Amino acid sequence: MPRFSVIVPAYKVQAYLHECVESVLGQGFSDFELIAVDDCSPDGSGGILDEFAVRDARVSVIHLQENVGLGRARNAALSRATGDYLLFLDSDDALTPGSLQAIADRLKQTSEPDVLVYDYTRTYWDGRSARNQRADLLAQSPDGPQVFGLADRPELLRLLQVVWNKAYKREFIERRGFTFPPGYYEDTPWTYPVLLSARTIAVLDRVCVSYRQRRQGNILGTTSRRHFDIFEQYDRVFGHIENNPGLNRWRPAVFERLNAHIATIYGSTDRLPRSARAAFFKRARQYHRRYRPAGTPLDARQFLLGIGARRAFDALRMAGQLRRTLRARAVLAYRRMSGAAMLLHYGIQRRLPLDPGLAVFSAYGDRGYACNPAALEASVRALAPHVRTAWITTARHAHTLPPGVRRLHPGSAAYWTALARATYLVSNVNLSERYVKRRGQTNIQTHHGTPLKHMGVDLLDRPAAARDLDFDRLLRHADRWDYSLSANRHSTLTWERAYPSGFTTLEYGYPRNDVFQLATADDVLNVRNRLGIPREATAVLYAPTHRDYRRGQRTPADLRRMARELGPGFVILLRPHHLSEAPAAVLPEGVIDVSAHPCVEELCLAADVLLTDYSSIMFDYANLDRPIVLHTEDWAAYGAARGTYFNIIAEPPGLVARTEDELIDILATDAWRGPRSAELRAAFRARFCAHDDGHAAERVIRRVFLGEDDGLPSVIPLEHRRPAPAPSRARALTPRPHTTVPAPALSPFEVHPQA
């Protein structure tokens, strides 16, 4: 029999679940069982729990067939618990290091009380943390009793009455028949009856739980009429008192907590819909009359201050909000009047109905037809022809658009009309700051790579990388997203933590990578031909990333030396990061500047091997199942400045060169395509390429544009995929000679038969 049963219910918490479970499994104290409940979660929470169960025998998982809510999910685990004590942990929270040992020691010191109360700290999404403001109530006087009843420490009722800051003797819980009710505030009719009924209570003045304050997704921050559940929950509390006459003396204290709790809900600006506030206030008055102890005046001061006065405060606050809104609108109107005629036009267009057949796309700050948005735009035309598409880009990049795709010039009248009236808006960065999302519009954030380096709010403690990043603005933009595309589980969990907002993740693969499964041998050779790559040469695509810690952004590797050492059998395709310095006007022989090539996917098709450092291109290129070499000379500096989500040197997609000498040796000796390279690549692909099977765009179009929730294309397993052939294989399949001729770029987003 374990000492503790730790119960963790899970629902739509995949971004935080690893941290939660690992905080339990990583404790120095190991005498516990962890019972996790997958409350029919629609995300990957159930799979994550199963992975932990396979790795650690102390973990067991209950999969519920329907979503039953937090209380009933805990009940499902209670029936399985075998530990001496029960501990509850919400799946977005975490145990602090050493907490289980501290709890075990305190239980032993206090002769196994019915309940042990311990402390917590609030941890905010922006990195701040603050200890419980009522921590003083847990202080233990050395001269006072170590174990007591609630009558000796009634101030404990003023603590936050949650289930997860206590350890409960299982025998006591089962003997009294305590269970959780359905609905919001399910902790209330558990914690009060438990404390009122416990014969022995002890306290531990130590932070044992990190209580995550999520920016969005927390039930207490959800605007809903379900907050009316608080009344039924207190019905249950007072029902317990009435069924146990010996507890009647606690009625005044619980009545006080009822008033305070209702006042908190009513006083919160984001819990109750505005249309429900009057009904909530009326219901509060009824409950005040119903449960006020005999002898308490009807217009009790605490009620007036806690509830009645808040109604007046609410009116004042609303008046203040109205003034601020009017002032903000006046300022906005002034700005529009002072030279922003297009914004005035935009405001007029926003009052017109949405166009259900219009989708607007952009990529990389309107720099042309590229990336995931381009793949989706092409697929919309193929799979949802009833939807008209338009692409935002400047005249400089107009040549990248496929024939027939309408161009919207940024800032033009047509541009603002489209932003105002399009039903679908797709981008891999963010739309204009002045764009205001309308009800009924669907925003798809495609992203533009799998994150190795820190992103979003994970840069809050990385000033060298964040620099002047406006985090408030960043989160305002994330709040506009309805869908976030993800290529793999790592990206899913990272995006949901780094951009804490209310979007839905579509872990379908990256549409831009579909071409790697659909391109033919002819496509590969045609791209090489247009780039001027000699037919038998080995093409190295060199794509280094941006360095946050450097002012100058030269290429880390010495191109002249590389070209000289590798010889005429190699061609280096130089693709620097767009923030890097422009390549030299005269490059060494054997180096081709492809920095202006509009389609990086074509460059990947043309290359025999990818050479990079920390660029996300490695995750995409791995789908071709071709060799990858990493040049990581400045790994320590890069990691210190930017921060990474995992150690790419320890888990690389191919061979790693820590110096330029090692790099040249790897390429010159053919080690780059040896068995060790293939072994590393296979493990990397299994982790990061699970969904990039050539049908990612189709899954997105069917789900979002066609509304097909079921019957989406199943993911083709890695072992059954046939990516575009490597150049050497393509030459064998297509033996006829190719002559370098000028030709328009083949759009890699056209659909070709499988090679």
Side-chain angles (χ1 to χ4, degrees), residues 612-626:
T612 185
D613 36 41
Y614 323 114
S615 171
S616 66
I617 194 175
M618 72 179 82
F619 299 93
D620 305 300
Y621 190 84
N623 285 286
L624 286 167
D625 198 15
R626 301 181 193 175

mmCIF file of all heavy atoms in Angstrom, residues 612-626:
data_model
loop_
_atom_site.group_PDB
_atom_site.id
_atom_site.type_symbol
_atom_site.label_atom_id
_atom_site.label_comp_id
_atom_site.label_asym_id
_atom_site.label_seq_id
_atom_site.Cartn_x
_atom_site.Cartn_y
_atom_site.Cartn_z
ATOM 1 N N THR A 612 23.038 23.300 -41.675
ATOM 2 C CA THR A 612 22.466 24.404 -40.913
ATOM 3 C C THR A 612 23.061 24.393 -39.514
ATOM 4 O O THR A 612 24.014 23.655 -39.229
ATOM 5 C CB THR A 612 20.922 24.310 -40.870
ATOM 6 O OG1 THR A 612 20.390 25.473 -40.226
ATOM 7 C CG2 THR A 612 20.460 23.068 -40.128
ATOM 8 N N ASP A 613 22.529 25.230 -38.653
ATOM 9 C CA ASP A 613 22.977 25.256 -37.265
ATOM 10 C C ASP A 613 21.780 25.039 -36.359
ATOM 11 O O ASP A 613 21.554 23.961 -35.841
ATOM 12 C CB ASP A 613 23.725 26.560 -36.948
ATOM 13 C CG ASP A 613 23.142 27.761 -37.683
ATOM 14 O OD1 ASP A 613 21.896 27.869 -37.765
ATOM 15 O OD2 ASP A 613 23.920 28.596 -38.180
ATOM 16 N N TYR A 614 20.957 26.109 -36.181
ATOM 17 C CA TYR A 614 19.811 26.008 -35.284
ATOM 18 C C TYR A 614 18.521 26.429 -35.996
ATOM 19 O O TYR A 614 17.526 26.729 -35.364
ATOM 20 C CB TYR A 614 20.033 26.873 -34.042
ATOM 21 C CG TYR A 614 21.471 26.870 -33.578
ATOM 22 C CD1 TYR A 614 22.262 28.022 -33.630
ATOM 23 C CD2 TYR A 614 22.058 25.693 -33.127
ATOM 24 C CE1 TYR A 614 23.591 28.002 -33.238
ATOM 25 C CE2 TYR A 614 23.382 25.660 -32.736
ATOM 26 C CZ TYR A 614 24.142 26.817 -32.791
ATOM 27 O OH TYR A 614 25.455 26.786 -32.410
ATOM 28 N N SER A 615 18.542 26.468 -37.315
ATOM 29 C CA SER A 615 17.383 26.899 -38.083
ATOM 30 C C SER A 615 16.300 25.826 -38.075
ATOM 31 O O SER A 615 16.587 24.623 -38.138
ATOM 32 C CB SER A 615 17.781 27.214 -39.523
ATOM 33 O OG SER A 615 16.636 27.437 -40.311
ATOM 34 N N SER A 616 15.045 26.271 -38.064
ATOM 35 C CA SER A 616 13.929 25.321 -38.091
ATOM 36 C C SER A 616 13.820 24.597 -39.424
ATOM 37 O O SER A 616 13.041 23.645 -39.539
ATOM 38 C CB SER A 616 12.616 26.042 -37.784
ATOM 39 O OG SER A 616 12.292 26.954 -38.809
ATOM 40 N N ILE A 617 14.598 25.010 -40.417
ATOM 41 C CA ILE A 617 14.535 24.319 -41.699
ATOM 42 C C ILE A 617 14.889 22.843 -41.552
ATOM 43 O O ILE A 617 14.450 22.000 -42.347
ATOM 44 C CB ILE A 617 15.464 25.004 -42.733
ATOM 45 C CG1 ILE A 617 15.154 24.512 -44.149
ATOM 46 C CG2 ILE A 617 16.923 24.791 -42.386
ATOM 47 C CD1 ILE A 617 15.927 25.228 -45.237
ATOM 48 N N MET A 618 15.646 22.489 -40.523
ATOM 49 C CA MET A 618 16.046 21.088 -40.356
ATOM 50 C C MET A 618 14.823 20.193 -40.138
ATOM 51 O O MET A 618 14.800 19.039 -40.584
ATOM 52 C CB MET A 618 17.035 20.953 -39.188
ATOM 53 C CG MET A 618 16.422 21.135 -37.808
ATOM 54 S SD MET A 618 17.604 20.931 -36.460
ATOM 55 C CE MET A 618 18.390 22.535 -36.425
ATOM 56 N N PHE A 619 13.803 20.710 -39.446
ATOM 57 C CA PHE A 619 12.611 19.909 -39.169
ATOM 58 C C PHE A 619 11.834 19.635 -40.451
ATOM 59 O O PHE A 619 11.223 18.577 -40.599
ATOM 60 C CB PHE A 619 11.723 20.633 -38.158
ATOM 61 C CG PHE A 619 12.370 20.871 -36.827
ATOM 62 C CD1 PHE A 619 13.035 22.068 -36.566
ATOM 63 C CD2 PHE A 619 12.332 19.910 -35.835
ATOM 64 C CE1 PHE A 619 13.629 22.301 -35.342
ATOM 65 C CE2 PHE A 619 12.926 20.128 -34.602
ATOM 66 C CZ PHE A 619 13.583 21.325 -34.355
ATOM 67 N N ASP A 620 11.832 20.608 -41.368
ATOM 68 C CA ASP A 620 11.135 20.435 -42.637
ATOM 69 C C ASP A 620 11.931 19.515 -43.570
ATOM 70 O O ASP A 620 11.380 18.597 -44.183
ATOM 71 C CB ASP A 620 10.917 21.797 -43.302
ATOM 72 C CG ASP A 620 10.198 22.761 -42.386
ATOM 73 O OD1 ASP A 620 9.072 22.460 -41.973
ATOM 74 O OD2 ASP A 620 10.778 23.818 -42.062
ATOM 75 N N TYR A 621 13.221 19.787 -43.663
ATOM 76 C CA TYR A 621 14.073 19.015 -44.579
ATOM 77 C C TYR A 621 14.108 17.537 -44.200
ATOM 78 O O TYR A 621 14.238 16.666 -45.067
ATOM 79 C CB TYR A 621 15.484 19.599 -44.572
ATOM 80 C CG TYR A 621 16.392 19.056 -45.653
ATOM 81 C CD1 TYR A 621 16.360 19.589 -46.932
ATOM 82 C CD2 TYR A 621 17.279 18.013 -45.396
ATOM 83 C CE1 TYR A 621 17.191 19.100 -47.937
ATOM 84 C CE2 TYR A 621 18.118 17.517 -46.382
ATOM 85 C CZ TYR A 621 18.064 18.058 -47.650
ATOM 86 O OH TYR A 621 18.879 17.579 -48.645
ATOM 87 N N ALA A 622 13.961 17.245 -42.914
ATOM 88 C CA ALA A 622 13.987 15.847 -42.463
ATOM 89 C C ALA A 622 12.894 15.023 -43.130
ATOM 90 O O ALA A 622 13.006 13.795 -43.245
ATOM 91 C CB ALA A 622 13.843 15.785 -40.948
ATOM 92 N N ASN A 623 11.822 15.671 -43.602
ATOM 93 C CA ASN A 623 10.750 14.944 -44.278
ATOM 94 C C ASN A 623 11.206 14.330 -45.595
ATOM 95 O O ASN A 623 10.584 13.391 -46.087
ATOM 96 C CB ASN A 623 9.563 15.879 -44.519
ATOM 97 C CG ASN A 623 8.785 16.156 -43.258
ATOM 98 O OD1 ASN A 623 8.049 15.299 -42.773
ATOM 99 N ND2 ASN A 623 8.951 17.355 -42.705
ATOM 100 N N LEU A 624 12.279 14.858 -46.168
ATOM 101 C CA LEU A 624 12.826 14.286 -47.404
ATOM 102 C C LEU A 624 13.678 13.054 -47.134
ATOM 103 O O LEU A 624 14.082 12.364 -48.070
ATOM 104 C CB LEU A 624 13.663 15.343 -48.133
ATOM 105 C CG LEU A 624 12.872 16.442 -48.837
ATOM 106 C CD1 LEU A 624 13.794 17.588 -49.243
ATOM 107 C CD2 LEU A 624 12.149 15.880 -50.051
ATOM 108 N N ASP A 625 13.962 12.804 -45.862
ATOM 109 C CA ASP A 625 14.812 11.674 -45.465
ATOM 110 C C ASP A 625 16.157 11.725 -46.174
ATOM 111 O O ASP A 625 16.668 10.718 -46.678
ATOM 112 C CB ASP A 625 14.110 10.335 -45.741
ATOM 113 C CG ASP A 625 14.730 9.179 -44.962
ATOM 114 O OD1 ASP A 625 15.495 9.451 -44.015
ATOM 115 O OD2 ASP A 625 14.446 8.015 -45.294
ATOM 116 N N ARG A 626 16.728 12.933 -46.228
ATOM 117 C CA ARG A 626 18.063 13.141 -46.782
ATOM 118 C C ARG A 626 18.988 13.623 -45.667
ATOM 119 O O ARG A 626 18.529 14.164 -44.659
ATOM 120 C CB ARG A 626 18.021 14.165 -47.914
ATOM 121 C CG ARG A 626 17.111 13.782 -49.075
ATOM 122 C CD ARG A 626 17.137 14.840 -50.162
ATOM 123 N NE ARG A 626 16.071 14.669 -51.150
ATOM 124 C CZ ARG A 626 15.830 15.517 -52.128
ATOM 125 N NH1 ARG A 626 16.587 16.609 -52.265
ATOM 126 N NH2 ARG A 626 14.836 15.290 -52.974
#
